[in-house]
Each structure stands twice: as C-alpha cells, then as structure tokens.
Amino acid sequence: MSGWLNQLAERCYPADNLAEMVTGQRGFVVLDQRRSPEQCRPLLDMPGKHDFITLFAGTALSLLNDASPWLFEIDTDSEAWRYAQSLCQQRLGWVCQPPADQNLQSIADHLRALFVLDDPHGGKSLINLQQPAVWTVLLASAPANFYSHWLNPLDRVATPTPQGQWSIWQADAPTSPAPDRWQLTVDMEAALKESQQAWWLSRMTKTPLASLPNAWLARMKTAMQAGISRSDHLKRLLPIITDEGERLHIQIDDILNTPLSSRQKVQQLERLL
C-alpha cells in the first residue's frame, strides 16, 4: 500500500456525521466555490453565517480572485452550517473547528501560507487545498512535523469521503519550530498526483480510500498513460483495474502499447473479460 494510504488510516478516523466533532458554537468551512458558484452563493445570505473571506484576496494569487476559495465562519446549529456540510459532501469543501484563540482572520492567514508550496524541483506548486481529495492526500502524506503544524491552529478537521461520510483529523501539538517555508517532499508530490485517481476509484468501487489496493492505482495509472483518461472509458475497464489476478497481464500490456485510439483500446480490453 502507498505510504500516504497507510498514514491515512493512522491519522484520521471515519464518522457518519459531524455531531461528535462539533463541541462549540462556531465552525469554519473552506469552499471550492469556483467549481459550483451557483450552489455556493446562497451560503452568503443564509441564517447562521457570520462572515467570510476570499482567501486569495490580498495575496500573490489575487489575480485569481474569481477562482478563489472562500472561508466561512458559521454557527454550528444553523441552516447555513447544514447547507455547508451538504456542499462539502459534494466535493466542494471541508470543515474545521479551531480552538477559541483562533478567528476568521488567523485561520485565513494560516491557510494562505499553504496554497503555494516549494516543490522538490526548485519551483513552486499551486495547491488546491480547498478540494477535499487534495487536502485529504496532503494531510495523509505530510511528514509528522508538517502535519502537526498544519492542523494545530485548525484543531479538529473533517474532510468528506468519496462515499459521502467524513474523515476526522486531529494532531498533537507540534514538538519543533515551524520551518520558515513549507516544501513538498517527493512523496507528497507523488501522492498529490494520485489524489484524483484514488478518489475516483474509491467512489466507483465503494472502497474506502484507506483500503484501496496499490495494484488498482497502478493499473489505472498505466491505462491513463496509454491515453485512456475519459471517465466513461475507465468505468468500462473497472473489472480489469480491480481484477485480483495477473492472468491477463501480458495481453493487457500488449493492447495498451498498440497505436490504437483510446476507444479502440477499451474495446479490445473489454473482449478479454
């Protein structure tokens, strides 16, 4: 199993709802409003919403303000909180309940430092941490000291699962100073590249992320490298991707390496079933 999948099982636990996480009167929600502005916009005027911040505003990413994630402070016993949870469960965000010494501005400042990270190649990477798949993988793959620093100001974090439930995260207080700059490790970068494929496989097969076999991710990656990337094509190949044996290994490789179109490759592969 990939290292980040192992750490996923170690760092969070499943929950059917957020009742056990919510202990205070306020919660914070990060929304990927760019993906569905018409669904997110009603939250701006909903009873229970205190305030919100456009996270890219006033930063080096301000030119992307129209695509910026939103951060909301919301009463946890309100219509706005219930609606925000429903948005998150549609892959549009995640929630946290920080300690009393944190406020909307301090949470915004904390998150803004994580949207652009130094990468292992000497460059910088834009991190879409407003997306549940990305934030989940980032938390699962981060070194222990990163993980504790990232979660400490947020305290309890809940990310939706591909099955519509929740993963609850909480870290011990950091035991070392925070570095001056945050940097992706090679392992974190590799995990982020797998994030969307892992989420899709988990949702389509109803298999929890922490239980996904490495072989499934490897087969899906091989298929995509061979030009098979459409969701409907991959869905047709799920019996092969999730096959427990290796009996068709050579035939599959032969087909994937042919100069056929992706549609023709899918048709040829389906004939092996």
Side-chain angles (χ1 to χ4, degrees), residues 68-89:
S68 172
W70 288 344
L71 173 68
F72 284 85
E73 181 179 1
I74 302 175
D75 284 336
T76 55
D77 184 19
S78 69
E79 179 184 353
W81 180 252
R82 291 184 287 275
Y83 185 69
Q85 287 185 56
S86 72
L87 293 176
C88 292
Q89 289 174 310

Side-chain angles (χ1 to χ4, degrees), residues 189-264:
E189 186 179 58
L192 284 170
K193 289 178 180 177
E194 288 183 346
S195 62
Q196 303 302 327
Q197 292 92 328
W199 191 281
W200 186 87
L201 269 177
S202 176
R203 181 170 60 86
M204 295 305 302
T205 64
K206 297 182 172 59
T207 303
L209 281 169
S211 300
L212 281 179
N214 265 353
W216 294 8
L217 285 168
R219 289 175 191 145
M220 185 171 178
K221 180 179 179 180
T222 300
M224 295 183 74
Q225 288 174 336
I228 301 172
S229 58
R230 283 176 41 175
S231 180
D232 59 330
H233 285 172
L234 291 167
K235 195 180 300 184
R236 286 161 60 182
L237 295 183
L238 270 177
I240 288 177
I241 292 172
T242 60
D243 183 48
E244 296 298 330
E246 296 293 337
R247 59 187 177 85
L248 303 176
H249 184 74
I250 295 176
Q251 297 100 307
I252 291 170
D253 283 350
D254 286 344
I255 293 170
L256 291 176
N257 290 325
T258 59
L260 298 171
S261 68
S262 59
R263 179 180 60 82
Q264 291 170 318

Side-chain angles (χ1 to χ4, degrees), residues 94-245:
W94 50 271
V95 308
C96 66
Q97 192 170 39
D101 61 350
Q102 299 291 330
N103 56 39
L104 187 71
Q105 188 61 57
S106 67
I107 295 297
D109 292 342
H110 176 68
L111 294 176
R112 282 167 170 163
L114 303 179
F115 279 108
V116 178
L117 302 182
D118 294 342
D119 64 36
H121 318 290
K124 295 183 181 297
S125 293
L126 177 64
I127 306 298
N128 294 313
L129 61 84
Q130 72 274 18
Q131 296 178 6
V134 171
W135 185 225
T136 295
V137 170
L138 201 65
L139 290 177
S141 62
N145 62 323
F146 285 28
Y147 177 71
S148 60
H149 279 291
W150 289 354
L151 274 195
N152 193 54
L154 308 178
D155 197 14
R156 291 181 299 279
V157 167
T159 55
T161 71
Q163 289 75 41
Q165 298 161 313
W166 298 92
S167 295
I168 310 298
W169 308 74
Q170 191 165 20
D172 294 330
T175 58
S176 59
D180 292 335
R181 302 181 67 86
W182 297 111
Q183 180 167 354
L184 291 176
T185 65
V186 172
D187 288 342
M188 290 167 69
E189 186 179 58
L192 284 170
K193 289 178 180 177
E194 288 183 346
S195 62
Q196 303 302 327
Q197 292 92 328
W199 191 281
W200 186 87
L201 269 177
S202 176
R203 181 170 60 86
M204 295 305 302
T205 64
K206 297 182 172 59
T207 303
L209 281 169
S211 300
L212 281 179
N214 265 353
W216 294 8
L217 285 168
R219 289 175 191 145
M220 185 171 178
K221 180 179 179 180
T222 300
M224 295 183 74
Q225 288 174 336
I228 301 172
S229 58
R230 283 176 41 175
S231 180
D232 59 330
H233 285 172
L234 291 167
K235 195 180 300 184
R236 286 161 60 182
L237 295 183
L238 270 177
I240 288 177
I241 292 172
T242 60
D243 183 48
E244 296 298 330

